[in-house]
Amino acid sequence: MANKILLLNGPNLNMLGKRDSQVYGDITLNNVEEACKKLAKKNGLELESKQTNYEGQLVELIHTARETSDAIIINPGAYSHTSIAIFDALEMFYGPIIEVHISNIHKRESFRHFSYVSQRADSVIVGCGVQGYELAILRLVQIFKNS
Ligand code: CA2
């Protein structure tokens, strides 16, 4: 059976491509999700995508993933820098977790330099634009090949 990946995006990422943004580019989240599904399928994986602006909803989606997903790719948005609740939920997930940030958070304001999620993530991809999501899938392809 195909390994299942959950792609999770947090607050404001539904605005991708909808507002003129120098930082986040002009590709919509829907386009990103479709491209990720296609790449996952090409590599024999299944990918489901969710976006929410609510912290508690992210926590619940991570809880559900314990039963339904083998890996998580997550861009927690601003909650990366603030949410112990999301960190705790990710600690309860047993599979690989890849954290993605579209922008290079280390080149930006100092409050973006620390991520709670990075304390649990197996890999962190920053500053590659939306290509970071595809790089995360390719990393998981490698991880599943070796497992
Ligand atoms: O670089 C990233 O992917 C971030 O996770 C994006 C978050 C930010 O708070 C993190 O520090 C880094 C913000 C997402 C905002 O998304 C927008 C999309 C289009 C237009 C404006 C904002």
Side-chain angles (χ1 to χ4, degrees):
M1 259 212 320
N3 282 115
K4 289 185 182 166
I5 303 172
L6 175 64
L7 170 61
L8 269 182
N9 276 286
N12 295 309
L13 288 154
N14 54 316
M15 298 307 287
L16 274 184
K18 292 188 178 164
R19 277 184 27 187
D20 197 14
S21 173
Q22 298 274 12
V23 183
Y24 302 111
D26 55 9
I27 301 174
T28 66
L29 182 59
N30 195 43
N31 287 339
V32 171
E33 290 171 335
E34 286 311 310
C36 285
K37 277 181 193 155
K38 217 167 148 186
L39 181 63
K41 196 169 175 189
K42 192 174 144 195
N43 285 282
L45 303 174
E46 251 177 60
L47 184 137
E48 179 189 22
S49 59
K50 303 267 183 200
Q51 187 276 332
T52 174
N53 293 318
Y54 300 95
E55 183 178 18
Q57 186 70 40
L58 278 169
V59 167
E60 289 191 354
L61 287 167
I62 295 164
H63 290 170
T64 304
R66 284 162 52 87
E67 315 297 330
T68 57
S69 305
D70 301 300
I72 295 176
I73 297 171
I74 183 167
N75 182 346
Y79 288 139
S80 318
H81 320 301
T82 62
S83 180
I84 298 171
I86 292 171
F87 167 78
D88 284 343
L90 290 171
E91 282 261 280
M92 293 178 225
F93 184 80
Y94 297 112
I97 295 174
I98 318 283
E99 178 183 1
V100 173
H101 293 285
I102 297 167
S103 63
N104 180 355
I105 54 175
H106 303 293
K107 216 176 160 185
R108 300 182 66 193
E109 303 95 325
S110 59
F111 61 80
R112 295 186 203 274
H113 295 178
F114 176 81
S115 165
Y116 284 100
V117 170
S118 300
Q119 315 304 303
R120 163 60 182 92
D122 297 285
S123 317
V124 182
I125 299 169
V126 304
C128 297
V130 294
Q131 192 194 0
Y133 294 102
E134 297 193 317
L135 296 174
I137 293 169
L138 296 178
R139 175 71 193 140
L140 288 172
V141 170
Q142 198 60 37
I143 288 173
F144 288 133
K145 218 180 254 175
N146 294 334
S147 70

